[in-house]
Amino acid sequence: EVRQFHQSIGIVFADLNGLKRINDEQGHEAGDAYIQRTANILIDIYGRDNIYRSGGDEFMIILVGLSEQEFDDHNKRLAARLGEEHAPEVAVGFQWDKYSENIDKVISQADKHMYEDKNRFYLNHERYRI
């Protein structure tokens, strides 16, 4: 039996750009501070209970039951906050689905959008390339 979910789901992937360079040039303490600073911004916007660290420098945010407008508002707040604070360079991908019937697809699309954002960053910031 396949369970049908009738709640929306929003997925956000956030991946830090340039962490290896920071670790190499400034030390792992600086890299850890970079990760923590990013985590704190994500917590402020999305709430601690919605954020999962899915890798060393990657976070996944899962938001259930938000309207598309609410999801977009959160994401706009994130973009503004990262810009205001000259915060860590973070590649971000978003995807929202009204019924969360195919969560794997929503996750895959958000991840794809994040990698597109990451590629744009590295095209424009050659010094961060590995």
Side-chain angles (χ1 to χ4, degrees):
E1 177 183 344
V2 175
R3 282 184 62 198
Q4 292 295 321
F5 296 97
H6 296 289
Q7 291 190 61
S8 68
I9 188 164
I11 301 290
V12 180
F13 274 104
D15 189 288
L16 284 67
N17 294 323
L19 180 63
K20 182 182 181 339
R21 183 181 175 100
I22 289 170
N23 283 336
D24 291 349
E25 293 181 359
Q26 300 173 35
H28 286 274
E29 253 184 50
D32 290 347
Y34 179 48
I35 293 168
Q36 187 60 53
R37 184 173 174 203
T38 303
N40 287 336
I41 291 168
L42 295 173
I43 289 166
D44 286 349
I45 302 297
Y46 298 106
R48 182 178 304 274
D49 293 340
N50 300 311
I51 300 169
Y52 304 87
R53 191 167 173 192
S54 59
D57 61 351
E58 186 172 288
F59 297 88
M60 184 166 88
I61 296 100
I62 302 172
L63 301 165
V64 177
L66 294 182
S67 71
E68 189 171 14
Q69 184 63 54
E70 291 169 321
F71 183 68
D72 289 345
D73 289 346
H74 278 79
N75 300 335
K76 287 175 186 169
R77 284 181 42 222
L78 175 63
R81 180 82 181 273
L82 292 172
E84 277 169 14
E85 297 190 15
H86 303 287
E89 294 292 342
V90 180
V92 185
F94 311 99
Q95 189 67 39
W96 180 86
D97 188 74
K98 187 172 184 177
Y99 297 113
S100 65
E101 291 173 354
N102 189 341
I103 293 171
D104 289 338
K105 182 178 178 186
V106 178
I107 290 170
S108 176
Q109 285 296 108
D111 193 46
K112 177 181 175 238
H113 296 314
M114 184 270 297
Y115 277 104
E116 290 167 352
D117 192 36
K118 182 174 273 302
N119 288 335
R120 278 190 296 276
F121 173 82
Y122 285 115
L123 282 173
N124 294 315
H125 297 88
E126 190 172 320
R127 70 185 186 99
Y128 284 99
R129 290 187 204 147
I130 298 170

